[in-house]
Amino acid sequence: MKVDLFDFHLPEELIAQVPLLDRESSRLMVLNKETGEIAHETFKQITNYLKPGDCLVLNDTKVLPARLFGSKDGTGAKIEVLLLKQQETDSWETLVKPAKRIKEGSVIVFGDGKLKAVCTGVLEHGGRILDFSYEGIFYEVLDELGTMPLPPYIKEQLDDQDRYQTVFARERGSAAAPTAGLHFTDQLLEKIKEMGVHIAFITLHVGLGTFRPVSVDDIDNHDMHSEFYQMTADTAQILNQVHSAGGRIITVGTTSTRTLETIATRHDGVFQEESGWTSIFIHPGYEFKGIDGMITNFHLPKSTLIMLVSALSSREHVLHAYETAVLEKYRFFSFGDAMLII
């Protein structure tokens, strides 16, 4: 299947640059996955589409303030570092700009020496292995010196760093937010629970690969990035009980979807406690084994995310929905509006 089949025209002014003050006041497009029928709501009206016995699955990953600005020891050259993946306790795979200034043995200083890093390995495309040294607790130092690694299509500064975290974020490790979850407030989640809807959590740490464009013409040739996931025994038990009782499992975001489908695929539709790395690539033709519906934001043209969404409904229904969203001036991407596919 050709990547160009997932293209659509998106005016730049529809790319949301800042979050709304009220999380649950975003718009919500509801797409019937079978018929393609569309309804327009506000996000707080999500409760109209949930039923007692359903289960909402949320990704509780927490975004690291993973972008650091420092200087090269000895020359004072300005260096930007983005933390990607923890290798060992104080060793990280990173992206460095400008990469040509940092070679093995180079030292980078952050925050007047509160944090230092020495380059111990050179990778492709600006990648570097950095070993950090500091006093105290690394994540506390990072909270003080780091900034949120906003996606490249967001040009505005974020005044409130917590606005790029979900209200239920607790497991540190993401380079990007699971943005479908940004629409929920504690109050809305409490209302959903009171309806008799189960709330379950998984963890998938979002990597920057999620923003990597598809560089091949045919999706069958795409090399999917991998991300770390974890499901607890409690969550597995809830999901299995909901399935057995005939309830619907509705994931919040593509990250929750990838986690559930990875585990369900490995265990014949049954969920169990598990952790590991997933590189599952869901696109039209895929047969879902774990979920019944999904809440998601509006995604980039020709991205693996719009392919995943299309697999749950159909390419034709989803592209029509996206064209409608453009005409109706929905807000797109991380800080944008949401879609419920059910």
Side-chain angles (χ1 to χ4, degrees), residues 22-217:
D22 178 11
R23 290 176 183 260
E24 59 185 64
S25 65
S26 295
R27 296 171 75 185
L28 175 70
M29 177 184 286
V30 182
L31 174 65
N32 184 308
K33 65 183 181 182
E34 305 296 340
T35 67
E37 184 180 354
I38 291 170
H40 303 284
E41 309 278 10
T42 57
F43 194 80
K44 64 184 67 177
Q45 293 171 301
I46 192 79
T47 53
N48 295 338
Y49 297 89
L50 301 175
K51 303 173 184 176
D54 287 346
C55 182
L56 208 56
V57 185
L58 306 167
N59 183 2
D60 64 3
T61 188
K62 189 171 186 177
V63 186
L64 294 172
R67 181 166 274 122
L68 291 161
F69 296 93
S71 58
K72 185 177 179 181
D73 191 34
T75 69
K78 302 292 186 187
I79 305 294
E80 179 182 341
V81 172
L82 184 64
L83 304 180
L84 295 181
K85 188 186 296 182
Q86 192 171 16
Q87 304 288 313
E88 296 175 15
T89 305
D90 292 318
S91 179
W92 287 77
E93 179 185 339
T94 69
L95 280 179
V96 172
K97 292 196 305 188
K100 62 183 179 181
R101 293 186 182 273
I102 302 300
K103 299 176 171 57
E104 283 196 36
S106 297
V107 176
I108 310 170
V109 179
F110 309 92
D112 297 323
K114 288 184 178 178
L115 182 66
K116 292 184 179 180
V118 59
C119 177
T120 59
V122 176
L123 308 174
E124 295 180 352
H125 309 301
R128 297 291 185 270
I129 302 297
L130 298 182
D131 285 359
F132 288 91
S133 59
Y134 50 90
E135 288 188 6
I137 299 172
F138 178 74
Y139 289 114
E140 291 181 358
V141 176
L142 193 61
D143 284 339
E144 180 183 350
L145 301 179
T147 61
M148 284 296 175
L150 295 178
Y153 46 73
I154 294 178
K155 312 301 180 187
E156 298 288 331
Q157 293 294 316
L158 185 61
D159 293 331
D160 179 5
Q161 298 283 307
D162 284 341
R163 198 55 186 80
Y164 194 57
Q165 299 278 20
T166 63
V167 297
F168 44 82
R170 61 188 178 200
E171 300 292 338
R172 289 188 180 103
S174 270
T179 53
L182 295 177
H183 303 284
F184 288 92
T185 62
D186 289 325
Q187 293 78 12
L188 181 56
L189 286 171
E190 192 57 39
K191 184 177 180 181
I192 289 169
K193 284 183 192 174
E194 289 171 357
M195 292 171 54
V197 175
H198 303 277
I199 303 289
F201 294 94
I202 57 87
T203 303
L204 182 138
H205 293 318
V206 188
L208 287 185
T210 193
F211 301 116
R212 182 162 58 91
V214 178
S215 58
V216 295
D217 293 329

